[in-house]
Amino acid sequence: MEDQEMHLKVRRVSDKFTESMYVLANEPSVALYRLQEHVRRSLPELVQHKTDMQNWEEQSQGAIYTVEYACSAVKSMTNSSFYFKNIDGLLRQAISWKEQSANSQGRRLHDVTPPPSSLVSAPHAPPTSS
């Protein structure tokens, strides 16, 4: 019987000890300490991830701006085709007028100037040394 009583006493002490350990392990101050440990361990990695994300965001914003600017330039070029066609027509018209002017001046010069053979004397040959 003493064995049973001893066994019950040991069991009660063991249960009380387990309950005490459970209470201590789950006490709010212990939980806050564990939370603090977790934050202290994981915070540097989180800060690094945040920094990386901010850098990627800056690079992405720069790339987006570049693409939007390029699209705007392409649209402007597309819209300017009207002006380029107008310039092309004006250049062709100017070339045509220049050719007409040159042709009419050429006729006038031909009517006024004597033939080229009488205007230009024959070139002299350089002396040769023997």
Side-chain angles (χ1 to χ4, degrees):
M1 186 88 172
E2 274 185 37
D3 247 0
Q4 276 186 336
E5 282 181 30
M6 184 68 142
H7 188 359
L8 283 173
K9 284 183 180 183
V10 169
R11 183 157 176 101
R12 280 187 213 141
V13 169
S14 175
D15 288 345
K16 288 287 183 184
F17 181 75
T18 303
E19 183 181 336
S20 296
M21 291 303 294
Y22 181 78
V23 167
L24 283 175
N26 291 310
E27 185 178 331
S29 62
V30 174
L32 291 174
Y33 174 76
R34 288 183 181 162
L35 183 63
Q36 180 185 9
E37 281 183 331
H38 173 72
V39 168
R40 187 178 298 144
R41 274 186 270 128
S42 61
L43 189 64
E45 186 178 345
L46 291 173
V47 168
Q48 184 62 44
H49 284 299
K50 180 181 178 183
T51 305
D52 292 344
M53 293 299 287
Q54 286 173 334
N55 290 338
W56 292 337
E57 181 185 14
E58 288 174 13
Q59 290 175 356
S60 298
Q61 290 297 325
I64 289 169
Y65 175 78
T66 302
V67 168
E68 287 175 349
Y69 185 75
C71 288
S72 171
V74 169
K75 286 178 184 175
S76 295
M77 290 172 66
T78 303
N79 294 338
S80 65
S81 66
F82 167 77
Y83 300 106
F84 284 119
K85 287 177 184 175
N86 191 16
I87 291 169
D88 181 53
L90 291 172
L91 285 172
R92 289 180 190 275
Q93 189 177 20
I95 291 170
S96 173
W97 286 346
K98 173 121 173 74
E99 287 174 352
Q100 287 176 3
S101 174
N103 286 342
S104 67
Q105 283 182 355
R107 282 191 214 128
R108 279 190 235 144
L109 285 176
H110 182 65
D111 293 343
V112 175
T113 58
S117 60
S118 63
L119 288 177
V120 180
S121 61
H124 297 288
T128 59
S129 58
S130 324

